[in-house]
Amino acid sequence: MSTVKTAIKQVSLISDFKEITKMRLSLSVVFSALAGYLLGAVEVDFYTLVLLAFGGYFMVGASNAFNQIIERDLDILMDRTKDRPIPAGRMSVRSAFIIATLFTILGITVLYIINERTAMYGAISIFLYTCVYTPLKTKTPLAVFVGAIPGAIPFMLGWVAARNDFGIESGTLFALQFFWQFPHFWAIGWFLFDDYKKGGFYMLPTRKRDKGTAVQTIMYTIWTILISIVPVFGVTGDLKLSIVAAVIVFLLGLVMLYYAFELFKERTTKAAKQLMLSSVIYISLIQIVYVADKFIR
């Protein structure tokens, strides 16, 4: 019996660790960083790839843990967050703080081994997410703008890890993921509007599920699509895109734009969920297309 209880406790600890660091989100960020590295690398160094994967996970995991510490009293008010380890009482604030601090130190250290610029941008990401974005979420919808900055760093971070330089190439990758986050997070803010409201979060630009928010979602989706095909014109340095790849990326963007228009037309929870799902598929696929295009050309 004690063996079974021990096993259950261990499973619970693993589950809580995954939750406090938001494992699925962290892994998606690692995916973006690795894609950025593959785009920037002249020769792929698997040691650097491993360092970037672990450093990226530590960086995002730290940000998420600090976020859940700060928002613990608000998380308990919302259905989607009330069962998180801290508000549910399965993890103490002290334990979460130790994890967050340890991940911060490990993340910056591991990224520093790659190069100083990568570590610097990693540290900036943790700071902005924890100390600026998180406190602003209950005060202004502009929090989404601030949060889009650390959210856009991973794709760019991979290129910086490969080149130890920030230029037009990494800037383009940053801009692409920066603008993408607005329709993505506004879609989430739309279908979770009532739950967010319980915690005092107003994530939509107009604070309402109205046409104004839907129009802005369409506008930022268009900006995302335009930026995504810019490399085909040869104006982004070593970041290039073939015509075939640009067409694929453009078509993927049109799918996302279709769901943005559906949100404008329907203004329903279902439409917002469809836009959110399409945005996730879009950003994942275009990163794959970018990388595949580089190695196929």
Side-chain angles (χ1 to χ4, degrees):
M1 184 63 71
S2 61
T3 304
V4 174
K5 286 183 179 179
T6 301
I8 293 174
K9 186 176 181 180
Q10 289 175 342
V11 170
S12 178
L13 286 173
I14 294 172
S15 178
D16 286 342
F17 175 80
K18 289 164 63 177
E19 182 67 27
I20 201 73
T21 61
K22 291 188 180 178
M23 178 172 281
R24 284 189 296 179
L25 173 61
S26 297
L27 290 177
S28 70
V29 170
V30 168
F31 180 83
S32 294
L34 295 182
Y37 174 81
L38 292 174
L39 287 173
V42 177
E43 292 184 4
V44 176
D45 179 13
F46 288 98
Y47 176 63
T48 302
L49 268 177
V50 172
L51 289 176
L52 184 60
F54 278 97
Y57 189 93
F58 288 140
M59 177 187 74
V60 185
S63 298
N64 290 326
F66 279 128
N67 172 268
Q68 292 181 51
I69 292 170
I70 296 168
E71 294 183 348
R72 62 188 184 277
D73 293 332
L74 300 177
D75 280 348
I76 203 169
L77 302 175
M78 297 180 286
D79 294 334
R80 72 180 185 88
T81 56
K82 64 185 181 183
D83 196 45
R84 283 177 174 175
I86 300 176
R90 297 190 306 272
M91 182 180 292
S92 67
V93 172
R94 181 175 179 273
S95 296
F97 184 78
I98 290 172
I99 292 173
T101 304
L102 182 61
F103 268 42
T104 299
I105 296 170
L106 288 173
I108 294 175
T109 301
V110 170
L111 294 179
Y112 187 83
I113 294 173
I114 299 174
N115 59 58
E116 296 88 343
R117 283 189 177 86
T118 305
M120 178 187 71
Y121 288 121
I124 289 172
S125 176
I126 295 172
F127 173 79
L128 287 176
Y129 191 91
T130 302
C131 301
V132 186
Y133 166 67
T134 298
L136 281 177
K137 285 167 67 179
T138 57
K139 294 177 173 59
T140 172
L142 288 174
V144 174
F145 176 87
V146 177
I149 298 173
I153 284 178
F155 201 16
M156 169 268 283
L157 193 72
W159 186 286
V160 175
R163 299 290 184 97
N164 193 18
D165 179 58
F166 182 89
I168 185 64
E169 301 92 348
S170 49
T172 302
L173 297 180
F174 176 88
L176 169 56
Q177 199 151 3
F178 176 80
F179 282 99
W180 165 82
Q181 286 181 88
F182 291 92
H184 174 69
F185 281 109
W186 285 338
I188 294 173
W190 189 295
F191 72 76
L192 288 176
F193 183 83
D194 292 330
D195 207 29
Y196 273 131
K197 190 176 179 180
K198 295 175 184 176
F201 299 125
Y202 294 92
M203 308 300 287
L204 302 181
T206 65
R207 294 178 177 257
K208 299 175 183 178
R209 291 182 285 191
D210 58 9
K211 281 190 176 182
T213 287
V215 167
Q216 291 192 55
T217 301
I218 291 171
M219 290 173 58
Y220 278 87
T221 302
I222 292 172
W223 274 112
T224 302
I225 295 170
L226 293 176
I227 293 169
S228 71
I229 60 173
V230 164
V232 77
F233 299 106
V235 295
T236 53
D238 291 336
L239 179 64
K240 303 181 186 300
L241 202 61
S242 68
I243 294 176
V244 172
V247 170
I248 294 172
V249 168
F250 181 72
L251 292 176
L252 289 171
L254 289 184
V255 174
M256 184 175 163
L257 184 60
Y258 166 80
Y259 286 109
F261 273 106
E262 283 294 294
L263 179 63
F264 175 79
K265 184 173 69 174
E266 303 291 339
R267 298 202 298 279
T268 61
T269 295
K270 179 182 178 182
K273 287 182 177 179
Q274 289 175 329
L275 174 57
M276 185 276 292
L277 180 60
S278 71
S279 70
V280 172
I281 294 172
Y282 166 81
I283 197 67
S284 301
L285 288 181
I286 68 163
Q287 288 172 350
I288 292 172
V289 170
Y290 266 55
V291 173
D293 182 61
K294 173 191 173 180
F295 287 97
I296 293 173
R297 267 187 284 113

